């Protein structure tokens, strides 16, 4: 019995001292990459960056020359580019050195990624337009001289046209796709802005009132669920609503 207890104790110590190995870190350009990261940034000289507080005031942070920072969301509009560096927002200038994490690496953090177009200056796609691997459409990554592009391609092709659309990685935000049951009823627990795309910054189509019943289209992404109004034919309407404004209605 004593020998058995010693063996069990030794096994317990081994488990505590040698915990289960965690998933391997994702590395790029000598640094670890995390989910949601779009690139990394350094500065050519010491410089102040700013964040806007909810009350309209600003806080500043002095960042040192050549210090490395992760960047997350990217905004492009009016010919300008802005990088989100934690809580701080930095405009691209000659003093900013930005290096993009390839879109293939960024995509590897997601099981079923949705790609959302976030370049307001583009004339080729609507701001907020989104797509993913689905049905005959697939995703591939193409190496170019200056960057890695994402190709969204249709595998059904008779050879008479190019079935691929190409996107710069910095024009895309990535979000996880969550597939839900279709035609399930939800109730609005507060007034909410209905969006044409699953992106908070996209235009508002209409305000959907508290208490309204809507029906799931089966796709959730970036904190939004695609829903319809339950009508048929020409009367059916679709929109994206924030998940935190919806309450599941149980069948009676």
């Amino acid at each position: 019995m004593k020998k058995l207890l010693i063996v069990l104790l030794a096994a317990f110590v081994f488990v505590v001292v040698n915990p289960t190995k965690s998933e391997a870190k994702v590395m790029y350009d000598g640094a670890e990459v995390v989910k949601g990261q779009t690139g990394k940034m350094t500065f050519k000289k010491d410089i102040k960056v700013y964040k806007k507080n909810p009350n309209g005031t600003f806080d500043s942070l002095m960042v040192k020359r050549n210090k490395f920072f992760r960047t997350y969301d990217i905004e492009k509009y009016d010919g300008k580019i802005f990088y989100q560096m934690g809580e701080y927002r930095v405009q691209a200038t000659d003093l900013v050195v930005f290096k993009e994490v390839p879109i293939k690496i960024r995509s590897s953090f997601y099981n079923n990624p949705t790609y959302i177009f976030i370049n307001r200056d583009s004339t080729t796609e609507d701001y907020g337009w989104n797509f993913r691997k689905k049905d005959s459409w697939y995703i591939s990554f193409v190496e170019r001289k200056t960057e890695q592009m994402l190709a969204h391609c249709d595998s059904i092709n008779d050879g008479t046209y190019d079935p691929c659309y190409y996107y710069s990685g910095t024009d895309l935000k990535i979000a996880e796709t969550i597939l839900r049951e279709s035609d399930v009823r939800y109730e609005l627990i507060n007034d909410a802005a209905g969006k044409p795309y699953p992106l908070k910054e996209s235009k508002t189509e209409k305000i959907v009132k508290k208490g309204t019943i809507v029906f799931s289209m089966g796709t959730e992404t970036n904190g939004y669920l695609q829903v319809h109004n339950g009508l048929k034919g020409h009367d059916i309407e679709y929109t994206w609503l924030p998940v935190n404004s919806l309450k599941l209605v149980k069948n009676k």
Side-chain angles (χ1 to χ4, degrees):
M1 183 67 178
K2 184 181 290 185
K3 288 183 179 180
L4 178 60
L5 289 174
I6 292 172
V7 170
L8 291 174
L9 180 60
F12 174 77
V13 172
F14 178 82
V15 171
V16 173
V17 176
N18 298 278
T20 303
K21 185 178 180 181
S22 60
E23 294 183 6
K25 293 181 179 180
V26 176
M27 305 294 293
Y28 176 70
D29 196 38
E32 182 184 2
V33 178
V34 299
K35 188 174 184 178
Q37 183 182 345
T38 58
K40 66 178 185 178
M41 186 166 53
T42 55
F43 298 87
K44 294 180 180 178
K45 71 174 188 177
D46 294 358
I47 193 172
K48 276 188 178 181
V49 296
Y50 296 87
K51 71 172 181 178
K52 187 175 183 179
N53 299 313
N55 62 4
T57 62
F58 288 86
D59 287 337
S60 65
L61 172 70
M62 177 64 73
V63 295
K64 296 295 183 180
R65 174 178 177 267
N66 291 334
K67 186 175 181 181
F68 151 73
F69 294 92
R70 291 190 179 100
T71 59
Y72 297 91
D73 287 345
I74 297 176
E75 299 174 73
K76 297 183 178 182
Y77 59 89
D78 295 337
K80 300 173 184 177
I81 301 175
F82 296 88
Y83 304 110
Q84 200 68 34
M85 189 187 82
E87 296 181 319
Y88 293 85
R89 186 169 175 263
V90 180
Q91 183 176 347
T93 68
D94 291 342
L95 298 177
V96 175
V97 180
F98 171 77
K99 189 163 188 177
E100 177 189 357
V101 173
I103 188 73
K104 184 176 182 179
I105 294 177
R106 292 167 55 198
S107 300
S108 69
F109 289 92
Y110 301 84
N111 296 315
N112 188 5
T114 287
Y115 300 91
I116 305 173
F117 192 74
I118 54 170
N119 185 346
R120 294 177 187 266
D121 285 340
S122 175
T123 58
T124 59
E125 298 284 9
D126 289 341
Y127 178 72
W129 165 254
N130 57 96
F131 57 90
R132 60 188 170 93
K133 179 181 177 181
K134 184 182 179 184
D135 301 327
S136 67
W137 289 86
Y138 65 94
I139 301 295
S140 62
F141 304 96
V142 181
E143 300 294 337
R144 296 285 170 85
K145 288 184 178 180
T146 58
E147 65 177 330
Q148 186 181 82
M149 305 285 287
L150 180 144
H152 186 218
C153 305
D154 187 353
S155 60
I156 300 175
N157 179 19
D158 60 5
T160 61
Y161 69 100
D162 181 355
C164 291
Y165 299 88
Y166 296 90
Y167 299 88
S168 167
T170 59
D171 284 347
L172 298 173
K173 176 184 177 69
I174 310 176
E176 190 69 70
T177 307
I178 301 171
L179 300 180
R180 298 192 177 278
E181 186 178 352
S182 297
D183 294 323
V184 173
R185 294 189 301 166
Y186 287 86
E187 180 182 351
L188 270 291
I189 58 175
N190 50 253
D191 292 355
K195 302 284 184 175
Y197 303 116
L199 188 65
K200 180 180 178 181
E201 296 79 11
S202 64
K203 67 180 180 180
T204 297
E205 290 182 313
K206 62 179 179 180
I207 299 298
V208 185
K209 296 295 184 180
K210 177 181 177 180
T212 301
I213 299 296
V214 293
F215 297 81
S216 168
M217 291 291 295
T219 303
E220 177 189 334
T221 190
N222 199 36
Y224 283 81
L225 180 69
Q226 190 175 31
V227 301
H228 66 85
N229 59 359
L231 301 178
K232 303 295 182 182
H234 296 296
D235 294 323
I236 193 168
E237 295 180 356
Y238 307 91
T239 194
W240 291 87
L241 289 172
V243 173
N244 59 11
S245 293
L246 296 169
K247 178 182 70 173
L248 180 65
V249 177
K250 296 181 179 180
N251 293 326
K252 295 181 180 180

